[in-house]
Each structure stands twice: as C-alpha cells, then as structure tokens.
C-alpha cells in the first residue's frame, strides 16, 4: 500500500505582502483602517508562524481574576488568570467563582491522561481494503510517529486506535502537545 505524501510549509510574510493585503482591503471596502494596520510585533515572525494573511493587529481589553490556589504536583501557590474579553461582567463573574473556590481551600487538580486527538475517517473501496489499510497503519506506526514528531519539537505521539465499520476506517491519533493546546500541531502532524 502506498502512503499519500502531503507537504505542509510555513508561508513567509514579508512587508510587501502585508502592504498588498492592506491596500486590497482598503480598495474593496473603500475606506481606511489606520488603527487596524498598527502592530507592536515583528510581522515577519508572526505572519509566518502565528497568523495567516496578516494585515495588522487589534487591542483587546485584558482583565485579571484571582488569585486562586491550584494544587498540582509542584504547583501549590496562588495564581492570577488574565482574561482578554469584550464581554461585560465576565471577569467579575470568573473572579467571584475563583474567590469561592479559594475560600474553600483552592483547587486540587489531578491529570489522569493528557493528550490532543485527531480522528480522521478514511473511506475505502470496500471492507477488505479498509482491513488492509488498518494493517498498514499498524505496521508503519513507528515510521508515522517519527514523521509526525518531525513537524514540531513539542509534539510526542502517544497512541493510535482504529476501528473498521463497513468500508470506513476510523482512526484516532493522540499526542502530547507539551504546554500548547495543540489542535493545529497534531493536525499538521
């Protein structure tokens, strides 16, 4: 069975491309966007790693809630939680909840299993082909893991589970994505 080769790459953002997108937006909308086009970061770094089709940035209100004591492994001290929002009363509401938790002794956190998953479904020609593909996935799992982990220094593949229903092969790939939520990380992998 032959694997499908897919290439993912970061598309660099240069100042000229940013300016072209800004001009296109201004022309189509027939107005200027002076505040939207301001930025306080290096657009060539952000635009190639954190945001596609970069044109600028916006400022968001940032409140803080807490403190709350979170008890987990070596972390046992009060922490504050920043919340970026435009929803009135959200920070105050979260802060009230945190105060109630703190007054009752803080929060004990236990992590039994941590990982981010992706679950693609493969439509095969028939059930026999799905079974053959399932065997191939398991036979090449180590190579698949090595390739997946090359996409990010923060990614560690943990588990693969598969199910066959008729001619559909359901797969669930789970990875440790370090400190990131990791949805995009595992999708790329």
């Amino acid at each position: 069975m032959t694997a499908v080769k897919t290439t993912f790459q970061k598309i660099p953002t240069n100042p000229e491309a940013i300016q072209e997108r800004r001009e296109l937006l201004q022309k189509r909308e027939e107005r200027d966007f002076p505040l939207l086009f301001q930025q306080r970061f290096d657009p060539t770094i952000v635009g190639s790693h954190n945001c596609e089709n970069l044109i600028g940035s916006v400022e968001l209100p940032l409140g803080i809630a807490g403190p709350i004591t979170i008890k987990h492994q070596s972390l046992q001290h009060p922490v504050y939680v920043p919340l970026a929002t435009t929803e009135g009363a959200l920070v105050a509401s979260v802060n009230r909840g945190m105060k109630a938790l703190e007054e009752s002794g803080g929060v004990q956190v236990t992590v039994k299993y941590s990982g981010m998953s992706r679950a693609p479904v493969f439509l095969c020609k028939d059930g026999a082909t799905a079974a053959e593909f399932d065997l191939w996935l398991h036979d090449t799992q180590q190579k698949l893991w090595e390739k997946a982990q090359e996409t990010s220094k923060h990614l560690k593949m943990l588990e693969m589970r598969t199910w066959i229903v008729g001619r559909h092969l359901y797969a669930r790939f789970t990875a440790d994505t370090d400190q990131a939520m990791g949805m995009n990380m595992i999708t790329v992998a």
Side-chain angles (χ1 to χ4, degrees):
M1 182 168 288
T2 306
V4 177
K5 183 175 181 180
T6 305
T7 303
F8 291 94
Q9 63 183 19
K10 304 281 185 189
I11 299 170
T13 296
N14 57 51
E16 295 79 23
I18 294 170
Q19 188 57 37
E20 284 179 32
R21 284 190 289 273
R22 289 174 176 173
E23 289 171 2
L24 177 67
L25 182 62
Q26 286 175 318
K27 182 179 178 183
R28 291 208 174 150
E29 294 297 318
E30 297 178 349
R31 62 188 185 116
D32 292 328
F33 299 91
L35 298 177
L36 185 64
F37 296 159
Q38 294 179 6
Q39 58 209 28
R40 297 180 187 163
F41 49 80
D42 182 346
T44 60
I45 294 172
V46 173
S48 63
H49 291 87
N50 305 99
C51 181
E52 300 81 15
N53 297 330
L54 184 71
I55 61 165
S57 64
V58 296
E59 187 174 346
L60 291 173
L62 183 68
I64 193 159
I68 185 167
T69 302
I70 299 174
K71 302 169 187 172
H72 173 64
Q73 295 173 345
S74 63
L75 180 66
Q76 302 241 358
H77 60 84
V79 296
Y80 289 88
V81 177
L83 299 164
T85 181
T86 57
E87 180 182 340
L90 176 67
V91 177
S93 180
V94 170
N95 199 54
R96 284 190 300 276
M98 292 173 93
K99 182 178 179 183
L101 290 168
E102 184 66 11
E103 288 179 359
S104 65
V107 177
Q108 175 69 46
V109 177
T110 302
V111 178
K112 183 176 177 184
Y113 182 76
S114 177
M116 177 54 67
S117 297
R118 278 293 172 262
V121 179
F122 300 93
L123 175 61
C124 301
K125 184 174 84 174
D126 52 36
T129 305
E132 183 183 341
F133 183 48
D134 186 39
L135 286 172
W136 179 86
L137 280 173
H138 285 89
D139 288 346
T140 59
Q141 181 175 337
Q142 185 60 38
K143 287 181 183 177
L144 292 171
W145 272 197
E146 289 168 7
K147 277 306 233 187
Q149 290 173 167
E150 287 176 9
T151 63
S152 173
K153 64 183 178 184
H154 302 287
L155 182 82
K156 181 181 178 202
M157 297 305 294
L158 299 174
E159 181 182 31
M160 176 182 70
R161 296 181 66 199
T162 58
W163 301 264
I164 297 173
V165 178
R167 61 185 189 143
H168 293 87
L169 177 100
Y170 294 83
R172 180 175 301 276
F173 303 99
T174 305
D176 179 346
T177 56
D178 198 16
Q179 297 296 311
M181 181 177 53
M183 275 203 227
N184 292 334
M185 191 184 304
I186 192 166
T187 298
V188 168

